[in-house]
Amino acid sequence: MNHFHYKDKELYCENIPVKEIANKVKTPFYLYSSATLTHHFNVFDKAFSGHPHLICFAVKANSNLTVLNLLAELGAGADIVSGGELYRALKAGIPADKIVYSGVGKTKKEIREAAKADILMFNVESMAELDAISRQARCLKRRIRISFRVNPDVNANTHPYISTGLKKNKFGLPMSQALEAYKVASSRDELDIVGIDCHIGSQLIQVEPFVDAIRRIKFLLRKLDDFGIKLNFIDIGGGLGIKYQDEIPPKPDAYAKALLSEIKDLSHCLIIEPGRSIVGNAGILVTKILYTKDTEEKRFYIVDAAMNDLARPALYEAYHEILPVIKTDAHLHPADIVGPICETGDFLARERPMPDLNQGGLLAIMSAGAYGFSMSSNYNSRPRVPEVMVKDDHFKVIRKRETYARLLLGETIW
Ligand code: LLP
């Protein structure tokens, strides 16, 4: 469910025509619907209401301050992977005791910052990282709460670049080393062992791999119990997929039911780290057709958004639905929708049946709320585009378009 819909052939976000925003803000821009975001978060939260739980939104999916603040107000915590994300999450009003810190390469500086902020827990991914955390705990003279991220070796059946729970992936500790790791950690006074964590991949469209993972975690929990190691949290990571094209991902209800039925006899608080399923379909990228070009081979629509604005098609050949902002009944003709960047990989869609469209026409690239702006760059010295939030019939620019001057920020001629 999302609040992008046609009214009399014109695309609206909630109660405001997308074209009206485009006229004021100019293209390209990201557009988020606050009602969709709120709805997605509440549905997710409610699905888990039968068990103590905490939803730690994966900040990497969309790290805009207003987006994070909206989620904070709904009760969300955060899953962070860098000092920058910690900074953003705290600035957005997410309480430190709802922040978990994942990632294989936390630096000493980042560990200190998160420890000083007193976050809920570090998801530790190697023994070397455990040592680094121990050192900082001793140095700061404070106990640090940790959980281990284990690699349950389950196949998430997703794009190889976003699959993380296989033995060959760099993430987490192998299950075979986990027990020993917990024993080592439990012998250290400066550490509080509070949880166990895993994250098996992203854009999963089946619940089975999640269930597999949680079963393996339960098996480990029993072994830890035998050694007198008791935990408070089970963090199952994120990864629930969304519909981009014709996928039928499980509904949050079904996903929650499958997970909760595995842990119904346990009193641990369940942490979930969704990113895409909260924001993915709450955002679009609005772009304008700069030129149309028909060659012997192909039709091209050259638009003002590019792979630096939305990297997913170029990076993963990801599919994003593309809708004309003003619907037409013109017949469909396959076209490549490409950006101005000097790379053949700079496409937003290929061989996509599109109606005949004119120069100046607006297109909406759908499902762009997750890993859209957050993965954008300045490649080709293109200023990053604004982010706009809609609430009912109002909108606000929540991140300004970058200026040329900002492109040079921090640079000098030597
Ligand atoms: N927790 C951890 C530890 C993660 O690494 C991730 C995503 C998440 C949670 C959130 O996963 P989600 O619920 O959003 O699937 N750039 C790629 C996705 C990379 C995901 C990385 N980790 C894309 O555009 O598809």
Side-chain angles (χ1 to χ4, degrees):
M1 205 285 286
N2 65 62
H3 289 78
F4 297 98
H5 54 91
Y6 283 107
K7 236 189 239 176
D8 296 334
K9 301 201 167 187
E10 171 152 22
L11 188 68
Y12 273 63
C13 175
E14 301 189 20
N15 285 314
I16 184 159
V18 171
K19 192 173 162 199
E20 195 177 310
I21 304 173
N23 286 341
K24 298 216 173 97
V25 176
K26 309 294 178 231
T27 55
F29 62 95
Y30 276 95
L31 185 62
Y32 308 128
S33 150
S34 62
T36 310
L37 261 172
T38 306
H39 176 75
H40 286 177
F41 181 84
N42 286 339
V43 165
F44 210 97
D45 197 27
K46 196 161 158 248
F48 285 93
S49 59
H51 194 91
H53 69 281
L54 174 63
I55 299 179
C56 291
F57 173 69
V59 172
K60 63 173 82 64
N62 188 317
S63 32
N64 179 279
L65 221 47
T66 295
V67 169
L68 297 181
N69 175 256
L70 191 154
L71 293 171
E73 285 185 357
L74 296 170
D79 164 55
I80 58 160
V81 289
S82 70
E85 287 192 354
L86 172 67
Y87 182 74
R88 279 183 176 277
L90 294 173
K91 286 278 182 209
I94 296 179
D97 64 1
K98 288 187 178 174
I99 296 180
V100 298
Y101 192 168
S102 309
V104 290
K106 305 173 186 82
T107 65
K108 177 171 139 188
K109 176 171 177 282
E110 289 174 321
I111 293 169
R112 283 179 81 85
E113 287 162 357
K116 282 189 189 161
D118 204 17
I119 62 164
L120 177 59
M121 66 186 191
F122 286 77
N123 289 333
V124 180
E125 306 219 14
S126 65
M127 292 316 279
E129 181 193 332
L130 188 77
D131 291 343
I133 291 177
S134 273
R135 266 196 304 279
Q136 290 318 312
R138 288 195 299 270
C139 187
L140 293 168
K141 298 195 174 35
R142 53 161 78 220
R143 285 165 72 89
I144 293 184
R145 283 176 296 275
I146 63 136
S147 82
F148 281 105
R149 173 169 176 180
V150 295
N151 185 330
D153 194 26
V154 297
N155 188 351
N157 289 330
T158 186
H159 191 288
Y161 284 12
I162 52 179
S163 168
T164 47
L166 285 173
K167 266 188 189 163
K168 64 178 180 193
N169 299 135
K170 69 177 173 180
F171 299 98
L173 282 178
M175 283 303 242
S176 57
Q177 293 172 15
L179 189 56
E180 194 48 39
Y182 274 97
K183 284 194 214 161
V184 170
S186 68
S187 69
R188 297 191 183 169
D189 289 341
E190 67 277 13
L191 302 176
D192 261 339
I193 307 174
V194 293
I196 184 156
D197 164 56
C198 75
H199 168 78
I200 54 175
S202 200
Q203 185 54 14
L204 271 71
I205 49 168
Q206 301 163 315
V207 290
E208 288 77 13
F210 293 113
V211 171
D212 256 12
I214 209 159
R215 285 191 181 149
R216 289 177 199 204
I217 281 190
K218 267 185 1 186
F219 178 71
L220 194 58
L221 274 181
R222 280 196 290 273
K223 288 214 255 175
L224 290 173
D225 214 39
D226 293 344
F227 281 95
I229 299 174
K230 311 264 182 238
L231 307 178
N232 308 331
F233 298 98
I234 299 175
D235 181 344
I236 189 71
L240 184 63
I242 62 168
K243 181 171 162 35
Y244 284 102
Q245 189 174 7
D246 43 21
E247 308 89 337
I248 309 176
K251 298 242 174 349
D253 261 355
Y255 165 72
K257 206 169 151 201
L259 293 182
L260 293 184
S261 76
E262 291 297 321
I263 58 162
K264 57 181 181 303
D265 301 327
L266 303 177
S267 59
H268 303 70
C269 173
L270 183 68
I271 296 181
I272 319 103
E273 303 171 354
R276 192 187 319 261
S277 52
I278 305 288
V279 281
N281 283 324
I284 65 174
L285 173 62
V286 182
T287 184
K288 188 175 73 184
I289 300 174
L290 296 173
Y291 302 108
T292 65
K293 174 151 107 177
D294 281 317
T295 68
E296 284 148 29
E297 282 277 301
K298 271 192 176 186
R299 163 169 292 184
F300 292 98
Y301 289 118
I302 301 157
V303 298
D304 60 3
M307 65 188 281
N308 73 300
D309 303 309
L310 180 67
R312 303 192 71 259
L315 204 53
Y316 317 113
E317 294 192 24
Y319 179 98
H320 284 261
E321 190 180 9
I322 301 188
L323 298 175
V325 168
I326 307 295
K327 217 182 204 170
T328 97
D329 295 326
H331 79 285
L332 301 179
H333 192 289
D336 281 15
I337 295 157
V338 299
I341 283 187
C342 304
E343 297 220 20
T344 305
D346 180 25
F347 61 89
L348 297 168
R350 285 205 280 210
E351 298 289 323
R352 183 70 59 87
M354 295 296 292
D356 293 329
L357 298 164
N358 296 323
Q359 196 166 318
L362 295 174
L363 297 175
I365 300 162
M366 307 304 287
S367 313
Y371 307 106
F373 186 90
S374 65
M375 286 174 70
S376 67
S377 77
N378 290 123
Y379 187 40
N380 276 209
S381 286
R382 290 166 52 86
R384 275 183 297 173
V385 307
E387 293 174 286
V388 180
M389 173 85 86
V390 168
K391 269 191 196 151
D392 192 24
D393 56 357
H394 288 68
F395 74 89
K396 192 172 170 67
V397 175
I398 54 173
R399 190 185 201 274
K400 286 187 194 157
R401 188 180 303 283
E402 289 181 354
T403 59
Y404 290 147
R406 196 188 148 135
L407 286 179
L408 302 187
L409 209 66
E411 278 185 54
T412 45
I413 297 176
W414 190 43

